[in-house]
Amino acid sequence: MNTNASNKPAEISLLRRLNRDGLLNDKAFTAAQALLHPPSAWFAWASQMLLLLGSTLVLAGIIFFFAYNWADMSRFFKFGIIEAGIVGCVLAAHWRGLQQLSGKILLLSAAVLVGVLLAVYGQVYQTGADPFGLFLGWAVLIFAWVLIGEFAALWLLWLVLLNTGAVLFWQQVGEPAHSVPYEMLCLAIAALNGTALTLHELGAGMGWKWLDNRWLRGLLLIACLVPLSIPTIHLVVEPSSTEALTLLAVCVWATVAGGGYVCYRFTFPDMPALALIVMNACVILLTLIGKLLFDGLNLDPACRTLFFALIILVVVSGAAFFLRRTAAAMAQENKEVAG
C-alpha cells in the first residue's frame, strides 16, 4: 500500500472517496463517520454558524442605525461610536485570541467598521474624493489585520475591496478619459485574483488550514475566469473590432483555462473546479455557435431559437458526460494509489 495514502489523516472527504471507490463498505463508513463527526460536532457547527449570522446582523444593524439617525447625530457622536466599536472589536479579538473563531470574527467586524468610518468621514466633511479611493484606502488600512488574522473571510473581504476599487477607478478615471481600455481592467483584475488563487494553492499545500477551503478556491477561480471571458466573448461577437489587447486577453483566458484544467485534474484533483472551467468554456463555445447560427443562417427566428436551444442541450449534456467520465477516471486513479 502507498505510504503517503496510508499516513493521510482521516477526513470525511477521504472516507466518502474510499466508500465510493469500494474500499470501505457502508457499515464501516457509517461507523467511521460517527467517530469523525459525533453528535456534539453538529452543536459546535451550529454555534459557529449562529455566531457568523449574529455578527452579520449586528454589523448590518450598525450601518442601518447610522442611515436612519444620520440627521439627529452630531459629528462627534458619529465618529465616537464607530471608533469605540473598532477599538472594542480589536481589544475583544486580542482577548479571545486570533486562534479562536470568535476572535477572527471580531477582527473581521473591526475591518468592516473601518469602512463605515471612512464612509461617515466622507459624508460629514464632503471631501469630494472619488469612491474608488474609499475602497482602496479601506484595503490599505486593514492590510495588517489581513496578514495576522489568518481568516479566509477577512482575506476575501480584502480582495473584494481591491476588485471594487479597480472597477470604480476605471469607471471614474480610466474610461471617461479613454486612457485605460476595458481589456486592461479585465487583465488587471484577472492578474490580481489569479495571484490570490496561486497563493491560496501554495498556502494550502504548505498546510495552512485557514486557506484549505474549496469554496474559496471556487470563488477565486470564478473571479479569475470571468474577467477574461468578457473580452473573449467580445472577440466572438464583434470580430471586426478586434484590437491587440483583446487578442492578448483571449490568449490569457485560454492559458488560464487550460492550465487550470491541468492543475485541478492532476496536481490538485478537484471536480468542482474542473466543472467551473468546463462550464466557462461552454459559455464561450455557445456564444460562438450562437453568433454563427444567428448571423449565418437565414432561418425563421422561432426556428433559430429552437435550434439553438437544442444545441445548448447537446453542449451541456456533452460537458456533463465529459465531467462524469473524468470523475470516474479520477476515482480509479485514487483507487490505484490507495491500493
Side-chain angles (χ1 to χ4, degrees):
M1 179 179 289
N2 186 289
T3 342
N4 296 332
S6 61
N7 292 334
K8 191 171 184 180
E11 296 177 354
I12 190 62
S13 58
L14 176 62
L15 294 178
R16 290 196 185 102
R17 188 161 60 247
L18 293 175
N19 178 253
R20 185 183 64 237
D21 297 343
L23 300 174
L24 196 68
N25 60 40
D26 293 339
K27 186 177 180 180
F29 172 73
T30 305
Q33 188 179 26
L35 288 175
L36 279 180
H37 291 286
S40 58
W42 291 106
F43 291 103
W45 176 84
S47 64
Q48 291 177 356
M49 292 301 103
L50 289 174
L51 178 61
L52 287 170
L53 179 60
S55 303
T56 304
L57 292 176
V58 168
L59 291 173
I62 293 174
I63 294 172
F64 283 108
F65 171 80
F66 277 94
Y68 186 78
N69 299 285
W70 181 262
D72 300 328
M73 293 187 296
S74 66
R75 66 179 63 180
F76 297 105
F77 181 75
K78 293 172 184 175
F79 289 122
I81 193 172
I82 300 176
E83 291 171 1
I86 295 173
V87 173
C89 286
V90 172
L91 291 178
H94 177 70
W95 173 66
R96 291 293 298 169
L98 294 180
Q99 302 305 318
Q100 301 291 329
L101 179 62
S102 56
K104 295 178 184 296
I105 292 178
L106 285 165
L107 190 62
L108 174 63
S109 302
V112 173
L113 289 177
V114 168
V116 177
L117 178 63
L118 293 177
V120 171
Y121 182 85
Q123 288 292 325
V124 169
Y125 293 103
Q126 296 294 324
T127 58
D130 292 319
F132 74 84
L134 166 67
F135 289 93
L136 295 180
W138 187 357
V140 171
L141 290 175
I142 67 172
F143 179 65
W145 292 345
V146 174
L147 290 179
I148 66 174
E150 296 186 355
F151 191 28
L154 181 57
W155 192 44
L156 184 62
L157 170 65
W158 186 72
L159 288 173
V160 169
L161 294 178
L162 291 181
N163 279 265
T164 307
V167 172
L168 291 176
F169 174 81
W170 179 78
Q171 287 181 341
Q172 296 159 10
V173 178
E175 199 273 338
H178 302 288
S179 58
V180 181
Y182 85 94
E183 295 93 344
M184 186 64 72
L185 171 69
C186 294
L187 288 170
I189 291 179
L192 170 65
N193 297 324
T195 302
L197 179 60
T198 303
L199 293 176
H200 167 270
E201 300 300 347
L202 291 175
M206 292 170 62
W208 296 357
K209 291 295 183 183
W210 66 278
L211 281 177
D212 193 11
N213 297 300
R214 286 194 172 185
W215 63 267
L216 184 58
R217 170 187 287 171
L219 286 177
L220 293 175
L221 183 59
I222 292 173
C224 189
L225 288 173
V226 169
L228 296 174
S229 300
I230 297 174
T232 305
I233 292 176
H234 181 219
L235 175 65
V236 172
V237 175
E238 297 182 8
S240 57
S241 60
T242 302
E243 297 182 359
L245 205 54
T246 307
L247 294 174
L248 174 62
V250 173
C251 292
V252 174
W253 171 81
T255 303
V256 170
Y261 180 85
V262 172
C263 175
Y264 295 119
R265 172 64 180 86
F266 300 105
T267 308
F268 305 105
D270 187 12
M271 275 307 301
L274 291 179
L276 289 174
I277 295 171
V278 171
M279 296 315 295
N280 178 256
C282 287
V283 171
I284 305 297
L285 176 61
L286 287 172
T287 304
L288 176 61
I289 294 175
K291 171 70 175 177
L292 297 174
L293 177 64
F294 285 93
D295 287 353
L297 296 180
N298 188 18
L299 296 175
D300 182 78
C303 294
R304 282 187 293 189
T305 304
L306 178 60
F307 190 36
F308 188 59
L310 294 174
I311 292 176
I312 293 176
L313 182 61
V314 170
V315 170
V316 173
S317 300
F321 177 76
F322 173 76
L323 289 172
R324 186 174 180 180
R325 291 287 300 272
T326 303
M330 292 170 65
Q332 181 62 30
E333 292 168 4
N334 290 332
K335 187 175 180 180
E336 291 174 358
V337 170

